[in-house]
Amino acid sequence: MSILKIRTIGDPILEQIAKPIEKIDDSIIELATNMIDTMIAGDGVGLAAPQVGHSIRMLVVDLGMITEGEIPTIFINPEFLEMEDECEMDEGCLSVPDVYAIVKRPKRIKLKYLDIDGREQILEDEEYLSRVLQHEIDHLDGKLFVGKLEKDEKKRIKKKLLKIKPDGWIPESKKK
Ligand SMILES: [Zn+2]
């Protein structure tokens, strides 16, 4: 078991578009296992590979935190097939420690992904799992939740954000 170092806001890898995984080999399985350990040790409900320094399209979600009896699950090359409606929910992130804010996102998702055995899976959800997956897949596209906030929320978390990132932070999409 290895706990990996979590990259925090301002680290360039968090703003890169991660590459699809072509082959699920032993190194991918080992990374996934270590990501699960790291997520659990950090009390997170999800963790994406770029957050631990690997710009590849893999994430883990602790389904046990969402539904009793479930176990941590690995999602490889996830892709949205459908997104519908909209809702607001409080979000936090292991890469943006101690900052929580309300984010507006689609409510219902339909997603396809590969499991750790390389089998294609389809998942539909409109509850908390939908939210977690959207947040984690954003990491694969180089986006952080603090870049998605409405004006009031942005204002509210500004001080806390400056504590983590004293020279300020501008989302990659807003940079010229
Ligand atoms: Zn996050």
Side-chain angles (χ1 to χ4, degrees):
M1 163 167 157
S2 293
I3 305 296
L4 307 169
K5 183 179 177 288
I6 294 177
R7 309 292 182 99
T8 52
I9 185 166
D11 190 314
I13 200 162
L14 293 176
E15 303 199 15
Q16 281 168 19
I17 295 183
K19 290 206 171 64
I21 292 173
E22 273 160 30
K23 189 168 174 270
I24 304 169
D25 56 18
D26 288 350
S27 70
I28 295 288
I29 294 169
E30 193 190 338
L31 175 63
T33 310
N34 289 337
M35 280 171 62
I36 288 172
D37 290 341
T38 306
M39 165 178 69
I40 290 169
D43 271 334
V45 69
L47 186 69
Q51 291 181 277
V52 290
H54 295 266
S55 195
I56 53 172
R57 302 188 80 81
M58 175 162 72
L59 59 94
V60 295
V61 174
D62 189 0
L63 292 179
M65 294 267 277
I66 298 168
T67 315
E68 207 181 320
E70 294 282 349
I71 53 166
T73 300
I74 301 156
F75 295 81
I76 293 169
N77 299 342
E79 238 175 88
F80 290 114
L81 300 173
E82 287 166 29
M83 285 178 139
E84 242 177 36
D85 300 334
E86 206 174 48
C87 68
E88 289 184 332
M89 228 185 252
D90 217 19
E91 289 187 27
C93 179
L94 291 173
S95 294
V96 193
D98 299 323
V99 175
Y100 299 89
I102 291 169
V103 188
K104 206 185 264 180
R105 292 184 188 270
K107 182 169 163 63
R108 198 184 72 81
I109 57 159
K110 187 172 179 184
L111 182 86
K112 82 171 180 191
Y113 66 97
L114 298 177
D115 65 19
I116 195 66
D117 299 314
R119 291 176 302 211
E120 191 174 290
Q121 304 284 350
I122 304 272
L123 180 151
E124 282 181 73
D125 194 76
E126 56 177 15
E127 308 285 340
Y128 188 50
L129 178 59
S130 161
R131 177 56 63 136
V132 173
L133 285 166
Q134 291 182 63
H135 175 113
E136 298 309 330
I137 291 169
D138 264 0
H139 278 302
L140 307 183
D141 292 325
K143 294 182 210 152
L144 292 173
F145 81 104
V146 286
K148 287 185 129 61
L149 305 183
E150 311 264 320
K151 244 190 187 159
D152 288 354
E153 281 295 271
K154 219 182 262 173
K155 241 190 191 163
R156 197 179 59 76
I157 63 151
K158 202 176 169 190
K159 262 194 194 153
K160 274 195 170 169
L161 208 53
L162 282 171
K163 263 191 201 157
I164 319 170
K165 183 87 180 60
D167 53 343
W169 179 74
I170 307 164
E172 199 57 44
S173 58
K174 302 261 162 66
K175 281 183 198 160
K176 279 183 193 155

